[in-house]
Each structure stands twice: as C-alpha cells, then as structure tokens.
Amino acid sequence: MDANNLPLLELFTRLQDAGLPLGIDEYKLVLKSLQGGFGISDKAALKRLCQTLWVKSEEEKRLFDYYFEKVIVNDNNYVNSGSSSSIISESKISLNPYQRWLINIRSLVNSIMKIKFLIITFLSTITIVIIINLLFLLVNFPPKFLSQPVTEVKIGELYIYNIEAKDLNRNDVLTVTAQQKPSWLNLTNYGNGKAVLQGIITSETALQQAKTDSYVKLQVTDNRGAKDIQSFEINGSSIQYNIWIWIFLFILIALIFVYIIFRRFTEVNVDAQNIIRSFLSLRKHSISQIDSSPYLQRKWQADEKLPFSSLTDANNRKKTRKIKKPDSFVVTDEYFPVTRRQMKQSWRYLRRVIRQGLPTELDVDATIKKIVEQSIFLEPILVPPKVNKTNLILLIDRDGSMLPFHIFSERLTETAVRGGRLQQANTYYFHNCPIEYLYQDSYFQKAELIHDLFGSFQSQNVVVLFFSDAGAARGRFNSERLKLTENFLEFLRKRVKYIAWINPMPRSRWFGTTANEIAKIVPMFELSRHGLDNAIRILRGNFFGGYRQ
C-alpha cells in the first residue's frame, strides 16, 4: 500500500482538532510501530495499535472510535490483506516537509489554547477576589450575635451568659450594651464583640419576679452605626418551679407531722377510736336515707329498732350480702381450686426486695429524724427504690398423666409472668423427670442442657417450683423415676437454695406412689390456695416446722 494514500495522517489531524493531546512524537511512534510489523494485518490491528499509543481516557477512546470509523473504515483505498504486499516498507512510510510542518503547527496551537485557558482562569480568580475585598471595604455589614442566651436560673446560684458577636467587616469595633435587664444582672463589656451577663438571684428577688417575667434586651453596635438586637426572657416559671418544690416539701412534712400526731392520739385514747367509728357509722346511715328503694327502707326501719351498739358491731364486721336473682347466672371458667386472681395475689408475696438504683423515694423516718436533730428542714433524705430481685424457674411436667392439668399449668405460667411482679420468670418443660435436657416450649422442640441452663443464673436470687403429679395420677410406684428425681434434686440443691413442689393430685392419692417418696426429700404441696401459699413461703425462705404440707 502506498504511504501517500494512507489515511493515517487525516485521522491524526482530526483527533488533534477534537482536542486529543497529540504531537509529532506520537505520530512518529505509530509509524515506527508500522515499520516493525505491528498493526498491518487488518483494520482491527491498526485500531488497537493507534488506540494503545494515542488514547489515555474513556472520553478520548469515544472520540477515537468515532473518527477511526469515519476515516479508516469508510476509506475504500485501504485493503485488508494478510499478504506480503500489505506490509509497509520503511522507505515508503515517511513524512514530507509540508506534513511535518502542519503537525507541528497544530501541536503549537493546542498548547497555546491550553495556556490561554489557564491564564483566563487565573485572571478571573484574581478579579473575583478583588471585587469581594472592595465589597467588604465599601459596604458596612451589620454585626450579628453568635451566642445562644441562657434562659434558666436557680435561686442562690450564679447565672452567667457569655455573649459573643461577630462582624464581617474585620476593622469595625463592636460594643455590647443592655437595653433592658433585671436589676440583679450585671453586664461587663470586654470589647471586640465579647461580654458577660451575670448575677445571683435571691429569694426575695425571686418572689418579686415570680409575678412578672424577666425580660432581657441586648444590643451590639459597630463604630459605623450598624447594630443587632438579641431579646430573650428568663422565664418566671423556671423560678416559680423551685419555689413550688419547696412549698410542696413543706406541705408534705406538715402532713407527716399531722399523721404522726393523729396516730399517737388514736393509739393512746381508745375512746377516740370508738367516737370516730360511731361517727362514720352514723354517716353511712344518714347517706342511706337518700336511697328510696323499698329493700333499703325496710332495712333502715329494722336497724332503728336495734340498739346503737348492735349497729356499730354490725358495721365493724364489714360483711355484705349479695342479692341474687333466681333467673341470673354467671358464665365463668374459674372452676379450678385456685383462680387467676388468687394466683396473682400469691405470686406477689414471692419477693426478695433490695434497694437499687438512683435515690428517688422519700425516706420519711430518716427525714423526720434529721429535722429533729438539726431543728430545721434543709433537704429531704432520698433512698433508692425497692426492686424485686427474685428469679423464678417453673419446671412443668408435660403430657402423659399430666395431660388433664395442661390448662392449669398454662394459667400458672401466665399469672407468674404477667402478674407476679418478679424480676424474671422462666418456664421449662420435661416429661416425668428431668434427665439431661429441659425444653423451652411445650412441644419439646427447643432443648437446653441442664448444666448450661443453671450455670447462667445467679444462685442467690433463683428459686425453683416444680409442677408435676410425681406418679400419683397413675397410682404406681416407679423406683427408676424416684432415683432419677433424687439425682436431679441433688444436682439442683448445689446451685439453687429454695425448691418447692406443687402436685395437682390430692394428698390422699400420694400414698403408695412415687409422689409419697419424693415428698420426703422436697417440700411438696397439693393444688389449692393454701398449698400454693405454703410453696411460696418455702421459696421465700420461711421454713416452718420443717415444712407444713
């Protein structure tokens, strides 16, 4: 192929016009590569060669692809051949003086354009900076407050507000003044837009200002007259709040004294108690006269015939009679020996209380003692609130002979978790006897090793309550079950201090069964309100006569 017909120079020229940073050296580098036999096999090879030597970015690659397709691919004079005739000899690939001059001129023009862009950018930046400085010199910007005001104050404590203001005109001198402020505040101006507003409010001043708000108006002014104003209010409510706290405490102490005197009076004078009770009983009868129902009218007429002492004794017994209609009935599921309400009441006695946390509760006795010692009330004595640290573990026997008692076991768990007011209540399930695992669900799907379970609890706060028939439901004695239960209880006593057992079967059914033998090694109680209360006493650590079943 003749070098003069090669469109390589046209491609190079168009790429220079498009903005690619190409010079005579890049063009010569392509020619030398062609002389070495690179990129002459086909158009794709020539494209790869030129792209490797000339393209440096994605944008340049996009321009190169466009002009290569336009110049090289559409040129019919370029013949794609792999024969020896397509190889360009070194003698044919050369540049005439005009082509060399044209390439140098284009490179020079591109360099001048880049330098011109840099010069224009530099001059524009300098012009903008000069305009901004002239703007600050000719225009007077007003000063501005930067600090946020302090709006709360306490009686007897120092109120301080550090004032800071700035001005865009650096040479301006700033002065801070107070247009309006309370009499107990003083303003100190340090210059350069800095000042301090401070003062201490006394009780007398607080009582006077509790009726009106404390309004503060500050002003900062520069030497050319521009100014800014900051207004805020030291709320009277914040002052009144502390006053009302002291008033509330004084009223509380007065009520405590009245209560103590009243208790002393009623304990010493027994007749005073009878007088108060008689007055209250007469008050009840006077109120009942307003009721116009025939039943109450007949009752009042009958009571009038009784002596006064009989009326007082009847009221002191506090017994009420419910009148049931023959056609009324109540639908309820509370047919168990222990109702939900009774369970919740019993669980609330399971308490191991300690004081923990921040002191938020008033210690009445200590406060009164301190007032007596100092002859003046200065501050109340606060103590941390009481927290129930009991951690209950319910071990419930599931399925088999315990199937009829599933509903009761669910109620036992529900009342312990929701109404027991315990720190923590966990329920685990087993069948007949715990051997190696306990289960977190009643379907025996989520197993947990017994050693891992009891190793994660703090022994001083953990109590364990069993709910199982212990073999009494089937009326048989099982030596293997007894042995396994004894081993588990021995393991448990090394880690838990208090253990009790609730048996849903009555005590008369225990004789001759495994339950009777287990009851000799662990406190076991039958399912009743009395039995549940005794089990909770055991869990609280109240041992009575060994234990009372």
Side-chain angles (χ1 to χ4, degrees), residues 7-93:
L8 189 62
L9 180 60
E10 183 181 355
L11 174 63
F12 181 80
T13 303
R14 292 199 180 187
L15 291 176
Q16 275 190 328
D17 294 338
L20 268 69
L22 302 176
I24 188 65
D25 294 334
E26 285 78 7
Y27 188 77
K28 287 182 177 181
L29 186 60
V30 172
L31 294 180
K32 289 181 181 181
S33 300
L34 292 173
Q35 292 174 4
F38 298 100
I40 61 176
S41 60
D42 53 13
K43 293 181 181 179
L46 179 62
K47 182 178 180 180
R48 286 195 299 271
L49 175 64
C50 296
Q51 183 175 340
T52 303
L53 298 176
W54 290 351
V55 174
K56 301 296 187 298
S57 65
E58 290 293 331
E59 181 64 23
E60 292 178 359
K61 182 178 181 301
R62 186 182 63 81
L63 293 173
F64 175 82
D65 292 340
Y66 172 74
Y67 285 108
F68 188 87
E69 295 293 331
K70 187 175 181 181
V71 175
I72 301 297
V73 177
N74 295 332
D75 187 9
N76 296 324
N77 296 325
Y78 186 84
V79 180
N80 183 14
S81 175
S83 62
S84 60
S85 62
S86 63
I87 300 176
I88 303 174
S89 63
E90 182 178 1
S91 61
K92 289 184 179 182
I93 301 178

XYZ file of all heavy atoms in Angstrom, residues 7-93:
693
model
N -4.635 6.886 5.043
C -5.424 7.943 5.719
C -5.017 8.144 7.181
O -5.772 8.724 7.953
C -6.847 7.411 5.609
C -6.693 5.930 5.605
C -5.412 5.635 4.891
N -3.832 7.691 7.559
C -3.408 7.812 8.947
C -3.210 9.264 9.345
O -3.536 9.673 10.468
C -2.117 7.014 9.149
C -1.641 6.854 10.590
C -2.675 6.101 11.407
C -0.305 6.120 10.614
N -2.651 10.078 8.433
C -2.436 11.493 8.736
C -3.752 12.236 8.909
O -3.894 13.105 9.781
C -1.603 12.137 7.612
C -1.293 13.626 7.789
C -0.501 13.858 9.077
C -0.520 14.157 6.588
N -4.733 11.883 8.098
C -6.053 12.531 8.248
C -6.690 12.187 9.594
O -7.266 13.044 10.270
C -6.967 12.080 7.109
C -8.339 12.765 7.150
C -9.246 12.285 6.029
O -8.787 11.497 5.171
O -10.426 12.693 6.037
N -6.539 10.903 9.997
C -7.057 10.506 11.320
C -6.346 11.268 12.433
O -6.970 11.761 13.377
C -6.877 8.997 11.504
C -7.238 8.429 12.882
C -8.723 8.630 13.166
C -6.864 6.957 12.968
N -5.009 11.390 12.303
C -4.235 12.099 13.320
C -4.661 13.571 13.391
O -4.795 14.152 14.476
C -2.753 11.964 12.956
C -1.841 12.640 13.936
C -1.506 12.025 15.126
C -1.320 13.900 13.671
C -0.667 12.644 16.026
C -0.488 14.520 14.566
C -0.157 13.891 15.760
N -4.896 14.179 12.244
C -5.281 15.602 12.210
C -6.651 15.820 12.830
O -6.865 16.771 13.612
C -5.283 16.093 10.759
O -3.994 15.865 10.186
C -5.589 17.596 10.696
N -7.574 14.958 12.525
C -8.929 15.122 13.093
C -8.941 14.905 14.610
O -9.698 15.568 15.335
C -9.887 14.144 12.416
C -10.125 14.470 10.960
C -11.385 13.797 10.453
N -11.637 14.097 9.052
C -12.742 13.752 8.402
N -13.691 13.081 9.041
N -12.903 14.051 7.131
N -8.125 13.975 15.073
C -8.053 13.769 16.527
C -7.447 14.985 17.214
O -7.850 15.351 18.332
C -7.237 12.509 16.841
C -7.881 11.178 16.449
C -6.923 10.020 16.716
C -9.189 10.959 17.206
N -6.459 15.623 16.575
C -5.912 16.862 17.147
C -6.979 17.948 17.196
O -7.114 18.677 18.200
C -4.728 17.338 16.311
C -3.405 16.701 16.672
C -2.247 17.385 15.984
O -2.379 17.899 14.859
N -1.090 17.382 16.639
N -7.775 18.063 16.149
C -8.847 19.068 16.134
C -9.902 18.771 17.195
O -10.529 19.699 17.738
C -9.508 19.100 14.750
C -8.551 19.593 13.673
O -7.563 20.284 14.045
O -8.763 19.285 12.483
N -10.102 17.501 17.493
C -11.098 17.136 18.507
C -10.604 17.389 19.929
O -11.387 17.284 20.873
C -11.493 15.666 18.355
N -9.301 17.693 20.107
C -8.803 18.043 21.428
C -7.888 17.019 22.056
O -7.476 17.190 23.207
N -7.506 15.935 21.352
C -6.596 14.964 21.917
C -5.194 15.556 21.974
O -4.744 16.193 21.004
C -6.591 13.678 21.092
C -7.578 12.588 21.547
C -9.009 13.048 21.268
C -7.309 11.263 20.858
N -4.471 15.383 23.083
C -3.124 15.967 23.226
C -2.086 15.151 22.439
O -1.296 14.390 23.008
C -2.891 15.898 24.725
C -3.684 14.734 25.187
C -4.886 14.704 24.316
N -2.046 15.305 21.093
C -1.153 14.554 20.229
C -0.147 15.492 19.576
O -0.481 16.623 19.205
C -1.945 13.800 19.159
C -3.006 12.793 19.670
C -3.778 12.198 18.495
C -2.337 11.701 20.486
N 1.084 15.023 19.443
C 2.139 15.793 18.781
C 2.867 14.953 17.752
O 2.491 13.809 17.450
N 3.955 15.525 17.220
C 4.693 14.838 16.167
C 5.323 13.559 16.670
O 5.473 12.572 15.945
C 5.772 15.789 15.581
C 6.413 15.147 14.349
C 6.785 16.153 16.648
C 5.460 14.966 13.199
N 5.663 13.537 17.990
C 6.285 12.333 18.540
C 5.317 11.162 18.555
O 5.713 10.009 18.282
C 6.771 12.610 19.960
C 7.901 13.636 19.973
O 8.613 13.744 18.963
O 8.039 14.330 21.014
N 4.065 11.423 18.884
C 3.078 10.354 18.880
C 2.858 9.802 17.468
O 2.662 8.589 17.273
C 1.754 10.849 19.474
C 1.735 11.010 20.976
C 2.438 12.274 21.414
O 2.814 13.070 20.548
O 2.624 12.443 22.654
N 2.873 10.728 16.478
C 2.680 10.281 15.095
C 3.857 9.426 14.628
O 3.691 8.382 13.982
C 2.497 11.500 14.193
C 2.102 11.140 12.766
C 0.805 10.759 12.452
C 3.048 11.166 11.737
C 0.445 10.426 11.162
C 2.706 10.828 10.446
C 1.390 10.456 10.162
O 1.059 10.110 8.889
N 5.082 9.842 14.971
C 6.259 9.070 14.599
C 6.266 7.702 15.274
O 6.726 6.712 14.698
C 7.522 9.832 14.989
C 7.821 11.031 14.097
C 9.122 11.695 14.533
C 9.480 12.867 13.608
N 10.765 13.501 14.019
N 5.752 7.644 16.527
C 5.733 6.382 17.250
C 4.849 5.357 16.552
O 5.181 4.173 16.463
C 5.237 6.618 18.682
C 5.286 5.420 19.623
C 6.710 4.922 19.777
C 4.705 5.800 20.995
N 3.712 5.835 15.987
C 2.854 4.928 15.219
C 3.555 4.459 13.943
O 3.482 3.286 13.555
C 1.516 5.613 14.909
C 0.675 4.764 13.951
C 0.727 5.859 16.180
N 4.257 5.370 13.262
C 4.951 4.994 12.019
C 6.029 3.946 12.296
O 6.197 2.977 11.544
C 5.561 6.236 11.370
C 4.548 7.281 10.847
C 5.288 8.452 10.223
C 3.589 6.674 9.842
N 6.788 4.145 13.391
C 7.814 3.164 13.728
C 7.203 1.807 14.054
O 7.777 0.751 13.740
C 8.634 3.664 14.911
C 9.537 4.837 14.552
C 10.358 5.275 15.766
C 11.250 6.454 15.427
N 12.070 6.889 16.588
N 6.053 1.818 14.711
C 5.391 0.549 15.018
C 4.938 -0.163 13.762
O 5.020 -1.390 13.640
C 4.189 0.797 15.931
O 4.593 1.402 17.129
N 4.459 0.610 12.756
C 4.052 0.011 11.486
C 5.264 -0.559 10.759
O 5.190 -1.617 10.117
C 3.336 1.048 10.625
C 1.966 1.511 11.131
C 1.437 2.660 10.296
C 0.971 0.360 11.108
N 6.401 0.161 10.823
C 7.612 -0.365 10.194
C 8.051 -1.676 10.847
O 8.627 -2.547 10.195
C 8.735 0.668 10.322
C 8.490 1.924 9.484
C 9.536 2.995 9.736
O 10.484 2.756 10.479
N 9.363 4.148 9.108
N 7.788 -1.805 12.167
C 8.162 -3.034 12.852
C 7.208 -4.187 12.602
O 7.412 -5.276 13.145
N 6.149 -3.937 11.853
C 5.236 -5.014 11.508
C 4.018 -5.119 12.402
O 3.268 -6.095 12.313
N 3.811 -4.120 13.243
C 2.652 -4.135 14.122
C 1.494 -3.389 13.475
O 1.685 -2.308 12.895
C 2.995 -3.474 15.468
C 4.065 -4.174 16.228
C 5.382 -3.702 16.200
C 3.792 -5.324 16.952
C 6.373 -4.354 16.890
C 4.790 -5.974 17.653
C 6.088 -5.495 17.622
N 0.258 -3.902 13.590
C -0.947 -3.230 13.147
C -1.139 -3.186 11.656
O -1.885 -2.340 11.156
N -0.527 -4.057 10.889
C -0.671 -4.008 9.425
C -1.445 -5.189 8.886
O -1.644 -5.301 7.675
C 0.720 -3.947 8.762
C 1.530 -5.194 9.128
C 1.443 -2.674 9.159
C 2.889 -5.256 8.435
N -1.854 -6.089 9.786
C -2.548 -7.282 9.304
C -3.965 -6.966 8.847
O -4.423 -7.461 7.835
C -2.568 -8.359 10.383
O -3.239 -7.863 11.528
N -4.680 -6.138 9.606
C -6.044 -5.766 9.243
C -6.400 -4.465 9.955
O -5.574 -3.876 10.681
C -7.039 -6.868 9.585
C -6.920 -7.308 11.027
O -6.235 -6.590 11.809
O -7.489 -8.352 11.401
N -7.606 -4.017 9.740
C -8.056 -2.759 10.339
C -8.145 -2.854 11.868
O -7.853 -1.890 12.578
C -9.423 -2.375 9.775
C -9.397 -2.016 8.305
C -10.792 -1.619 7.836
C -10.773 -1.272 6.353
N -12.115 -0.897 5.849
N -8.563 -4.000 12.391
C -8.688 -4.153 13.838
C -7.325 -4.021 14.506
O -7.187 -3.408 15.579
C -9.311 -5.505 14.165
N -6.249 -4.599 13.851
C -4.906 -4.487 14.422
C -4.428 -3.049 14.398
O -3.797 -2.564 15.350
C -3.949 -5.394 13.642
N -4.702 -2.334 13.282
C -4.327 -0.917 13.214
C -5.056 -0.091 14.265
O -4.475 0.808 14.907
C -4.639 -0.385 11.813
C -4.325 1.117 11.593
C -2.825 1.383 11.776
C -4.786 1.551 10.200
N -6.321 -0.418 14.512
C -7.103 0.312 15.520
C -6.537 0.078 16.918
O -6.417 1.004 17.717
C -8.564 -0.141 15.452
C -9.464 0.594 16.433
C -10.903 0.149 16.279
C -11.803 0.895 17.256
N -13.210 0.475 17.128
N -6.168 -1.173 17.213
C -5.603 -1.460 18.533
C -4.284 -0.733 18.739
O -3.991 -0.234 19.830
C -5.416 -2.971 18.692
C -6.712 -3.732 18.906
C -6.421 -5.145 19.412
N -5.619 -5.916 18.447
C -6.131 -6.655 17.463
N -7.443 -6.730 17.291
N -5.341 -7.324 16.643
N -3.446 -0.666 17.649
C -2.148 -0.002 17.758
C -2.325 1.492 18.035
O -1.701 2.046 18.962
C -1.357 -0.229 16.461
C -0.016 0.514 16.373
C 0.937 0.021 17.444
C 0.596 0.348 14.980
N -3.146 2.155 17.236
C -3.349 3.608 17.421
C -4.023 3.908 18.763
O -3.678 4.900 19.428
C -4.189 4.160 16.265
S -3.381 4.035 14.658
N -4.956 3.052 19.148
C -5.647 3.279 20.421
C -4.698 3.123 21.613
O -4.766 3.867 22.589
C -6.817 2.293 20.544
C -7.660 2.484 21.788
C -8.873 1.572 21.793
O -9.279 1.084 20.762
N -9.418 1.365 22.962
N -3.789 2.189 21.530
C -2.822 1.976 22.614
C -1.869 3.151 22.761
O -1.531 3.556 23.885
C -2.029 0.690 22.353
O -2.934 -0.404 22.222
C -1.054 0.418 23.500
N -1.462 3.759 21.636
C -0.456 4.823 21.683
C -1.055 6.216 21.848
O -0.356 7.122 22.348
C 0.395 4.779 20.405
C 1.195 3.487 20.183
C 1.914 3.539 18.846
C 2.178 3.264 21.309
N -2.303 6.412 21.480
C -2.862 7.770 21.469
C -3.942 8.008 22.522
O -4.164 9.149 22.914
C -3.473 8.069 20.086
C -2.426 8.205 19.011
C -1.081 8.269 19.175
C -2.663 8.235 17.611
N -0.432 8.372 17.995
C -1.397 8.363 16.980
C -3.782 8.194 16.793
C -1.244 8.434 15.606
C -3.644 8.280 15.427
C -2.380 8.397 14.837
N -4.638 6.968 22.956
C -5.816 7.150 23.819
C -5.407 6.964 25.284
O -4.713 6.002 25.624
C -6.931 6.150 23.444
C -8.092 6.253 24.433
C -7.402 6.429 22.019
N -5.834 7.924 26.140
C -5.491 7.885 27.565
C -6.710 7.912 28.504
O -6.542 7.818 29.710
C -4.595 9.093 27.919
C -3.302 9.156 27.130
C -2.409 7.992 27.415
C -1.036 8.125 26.764
N -1.125 8.169 25.276
N -7.924 8.081 27.996
C -9.107 8.163 28.851
C -10.318 7.630 28.095
O -10.250 7.375 26.879
C -9.360 9.602 29.321
O -9.674 10.433 28.223
N -11.426 7.474 28.815
C -12.663 6.979 28.203
C -13.210 7.980 27.193
O -13.742 7.593 26.145
C -13.702 6.690 29.289
C -13.377 5.493 30.173
C -13.424 4.199 29.395
O -14.189 4.129 28.416
O -12.692 3.258 29.765
N -13.129 9.265 27.493
C -13.626 10.284 26.562
C -12.802 10.287 25.277
O -13.340 10.382 24.167
C -13.590 11.656 27.241
C -14.091 12.806 26.389
C -15.573 12.680 26.044
O -16.296 11.977 26.778
O -15.999 13.273 25.036
N -11.456 10.158 25.421
C -10.609 10.098 24.224
C -10.890 8.833 23.423
O -10.842 8.844 22.188
C -9.151 10.153 24.651
C -8.741 11.504 25.248
C -7.304 11.512 25.698
O -6.652 10.461 25.562
O -6.824 12.562 26.195
N -11.177 7.736 24.128
C -11.496 6.487 23.416
C -12.786 6.639 22.604
O -12.891 6.142 21.480
C -11.649 5.352 24.420
C -11.938 3.994 23.790
C -12.021 2.917 24.857
C -12.297 1.548 24.229
N -13.546 1.536 23.460
N -13.764 7.335 23.191
C -15.014 7.537 22.449
C -14.771 8.372 21.172
O -15.286 8.042 20.090
C -16.023 8.236 23.353
C -17.410 8.370 22.751
C -18.330 9.111 23.681
N -17.875 10.478 23.903
C -18.115 11.479 23.045
N -18.790 11.263 21.924
N -17.663 12.677 23.309
N -13.957 9.430 21.261
C -13.641 10.255 20.082
C -12.824 9.456 19.061
O -13.045 9.559 17.845
C -12.876 11.497 20.523
C -13.666 12.504 21.379
C -12.745 13.598 21.877
C -14.813 13.091 20.582
N -11.879 8.647 19.561
C -11.047 7.865 18.652
C -11.894 6.869 17.855
O -11.710 6.719 16.631
C -9.970 7.144 19.462
C -9.136 6.202 18.624
C -8.075 6.689 17.865
C -9.410 4.848 18.588
C -7.316 5.824 17.092
C -8.658 3.992 17.824
C -7.605 4.471 17.068
N -12.800 6.176 18.559
C -13.655 5.212 17.853
C -14.481 5.895 16.778
O -14.664 5.342 15.677
C -14.564 4.503 18.853
C -13.780 3.605 19.787
O -12.648 3.236 19.450
O -14.316 3.281 20.890
N -14.980 7.085 17.082
C -15.833 7.783 16.110
C -15.043 8.152 14.854
O -15.453 7.861 13.718
C -16.414 9.031 16.772
C -17.156 9.942 15.801
C -18.418 9.598 15.316
C -16.573 11.121 15.358
C -19.088 10.417 14.424
C -17.227 11.943 14.471
C -18.491 11.593 14.000
O -19.144 12.400 13.129
N -13.862 8.779 15.031
C -13.089 9.224 13.868
C -12.431 8.060 13.149
O -12.213 8.112 11.924
C -12.037 10.242 14.309
C -12.644 11.599 14.614
C -12.751 12.057 15.907
C -13.133 12.415 13.586
C -13.313 13.277 16.206
C -13.695 13.645 13.870
C -13.789 14.083 15.169
O -14.347 15.292 15.446
N -12.074 6.992 13.847
C -11.494 5.834 13.167
C -12.520 5.196 12.234
O -12.186 4.824 11.098
C -11.014 4.824 14.207
C -10.238 3.680 13.608
C -8.871 3.790 13.395
C -10.867 2.498 13.242
C -8.155 2.745 12.841
C -10.156 1.461 12.686
C -8.794 1.565 12.480
N -13.763 5.054 12.707
C -14.806 4.502 11.846
C -15.083 5.416 10.662
O -15.369 4.951 9.566
C -16.083 4.280 12.661
C -15.964 3.231 13.746
C -15.773 1.843 13.167
O -16.259 1.601 12.045
O -15.130 1.016 13.843
N -14.959 6.714 10.878
C -15.287 7.678 9.822
C -14.180 7.786 8.785
O -14.443 7.955 7.588
C -15.558 9.042 10.446
C -16.076 10.088 9.480
C -16.435 11.363 10.219
C -16.985 12.396 9.265
N -17.332 13.668 9.932
N -12.935 7.675 9.240
C -11.804 7.915 8.323
C -11.262 6.606 7.764
O -11.081 6.454 6.556
C -10.694 8.692 9.063
C -9.470 8.850 8.167
C -11.201 10.037 9.502
N -10.976 5.639 8.643
C -10.279 4.428 8.209
C -11.230 3.415 7.609
O -11.021 2.911 6.499
C -9.521 3.808 9.383
C -8.504 4.815 9.943
C -8.814 2.527 8.970
C -7.437 5.206 8.949
N -12.341 3.141 8.344
C -13.235 2.073 7.894
C -13.927 2.448 6.604
O -14.119 1.617 5.706
C -14.260 1.760 9.000
C -15.251 0.709 8.533
C -13.535 1.282 10.255
N -14.292 3.715 6.427
C -15.015 4.148 5.227
C -14.082 4.442 4.057
O -14.530 4.881 2.989
C -15.841 5.387 5.535
C -16.935 5.085 6.534
O -17.405 3.946 6.602
N -17.323 6.096 7.313
N -12.768 4.293 4.239
C -11.826 4.548 3.146
C -11.701 3.298 2.283
O -11.240 2.253 2.754
C -10.468 4.951 3.739
C -9.498 5.401 2.661
O -9.933 5.564 1.524
O -8.294 5.569 3.000
N -12.089 3.402 1.038
C -12.057 2.249 0.135
C -10.652 1.931 -0.355
O -10.407 0.867 -0.929
C -12.964 2.494 -1.072
C -14.420 2.631 -0.651
O -14.835 1.934 0.287
N -15.174 3.483 -1.321
N -9.712 2.856 -0.203
C -8.354 2.624 -0.671
C -7.567 1.710 0.240
O -6.497 1.224 -0.125
C -7.601 3.964 -0.809
C -8.242 4.842 -1.886
O -8.719 4.334 -2.889
N -8.230 6.153 -1.656
N -8.103 1.522 1.469
C -7.394 0.660 2.414
C -7.821 -0.774 2.162
O -8.999 -1.100 2.222
C -7.710 1.080 3.859
C -6.905 0.316 4.862
C -5.625 0.726 5.183
C -7.435 -0.817 5.482
C -4.884 0.039 6.112
C -6.692 -1.514 6.398
C -5.410 -1.092 6.716
O -4.676 -1.775 7.639
N -6.918 -1.645 1.872
C -7.187 -3.029 1.510
C -6.787 -3.917 2.660
O -5.672 -3.804 3.182
C -6.421 -3.432 0.232
C -6.710 -4.874 -0.149
C -6.742 -2.487 -0.898
N -7.742 -4.728 3.128
C -7.490 -5.646 4.237
C -6.901 -6.928 3.671
O -7.595 -7.721 3.056
C -8.773 -5.923 4.985
C -8.529 -6.817 6.184
O -7.394 -7.006 6.589
N -9.598 -7.377 6.704
N -5.657 -7.130 3.826
C -4.998 -8.306 3.255
C -3.903 -8.749 4.188
O -3.234 -7.927 4.810
C -4.429 -7.992 1.875
O -3.700 -9.064 1.386
N -3.705 -10.055 4.236
C -2.658 -10.603 5.096
C -1.421 -10.967 4.304
O -0.490 -11.567 4.822
N -1.342 -10.629 2.969
C -0.196 -10.992 2.142
C 0.959 -10.051 2.382
O 0.835 -9.024 3.040
C -0.607 -10.982 0.663
O -1.003 -9.666 0.316
N 2.080 -10.374 1.765
C 3.295 -9.572 1.943
C 3.192 -8.240 1.280
O 3.909 -7.306 1.622
C 4.512 -10.346 1.382
O 4.323 -10.599 -0.004
N 2.278 -8.067 0.299
C 2.121 -6.781 -0.375
C 1.532 -5.735 0.518
O 1.623 -4.550 0.241
C 1.252 -6.958 -1.624
O -0.029 -7.403 -1.234
N 0.867 -6.151 1.618
C 0.257 -5.191 2.530
C 1.225 -4.678 3.557
O 0.887 -3.821 4.355
C -0.955 -5.831 3.238
O -0.507 -6.913 4.023
N 2.392 -5.210 3.636
C 3.381 -4.772 4.621
C 4.009 -3.493 4.153
O 4.473 -3.377 3.012
C 4.449 -5.859 4.827
C 3.790 -7.148 5.325
C 5.518 -5.390 5.781
C 4.752 -8.297 5.452
N 4.062 -2.527 4.955
C 4.568 -1.195 4.593
C 6.054 -1.168 4.849
O 6.513 -1.424 5.963
C 3.854 -0.102 5.411
C 2.353 -0.212 5.172
C 4.342 1.266 5.044
C 1.557 0.723 6.032
N 6.739 -0.875 3.829
C 8.199 -0.840 3.963
C 8.632 0.442 4.638
O 7.919 1.438 4.651
C 8.850 -0.970 2.587
O 8.488 0.132 1.766
N 9.844 0.427 5.143
C 10.369 1.588 5.875
C 10.608 2.769 4.952
O 10.447 3.921 5.349
C 11.672 1.189 6.567
C 12.290 2.312 7.393
C 13.536 1.868 8.088
O 13.923 0.693 7.918
O 14.126 2.690 8.813
N 10.903 2.463 3.654
C 11.179 3.550 2.712
C 9.935 4.288 2.327
O 9.979 5.468 1.988
C 11.878 2.991 1.465
O 11.031 2.042 0.839
N 8.775 3.567 2.342
C 7.543 4.223 1.901
C 6.894 5.030 3.000
O 6.096 5.892 2.722
C 6.553 3.168 1.407
C 6.980 2.542 0.101
C 5.926 1.578 -0.400
C 6.344 0.949 -1.740
N 5.300 0.045 -2.255
N 7.127 4.695 4.295
C 6.485 5.418 5.395
C 7.398 6.556 5.803
O 8.368 6.378 6.536
C 6.204 4.505 6.564
C 5.300 3.372 6.117
C 5.577 5.270 7.711
C 5.003 2.382 7.192
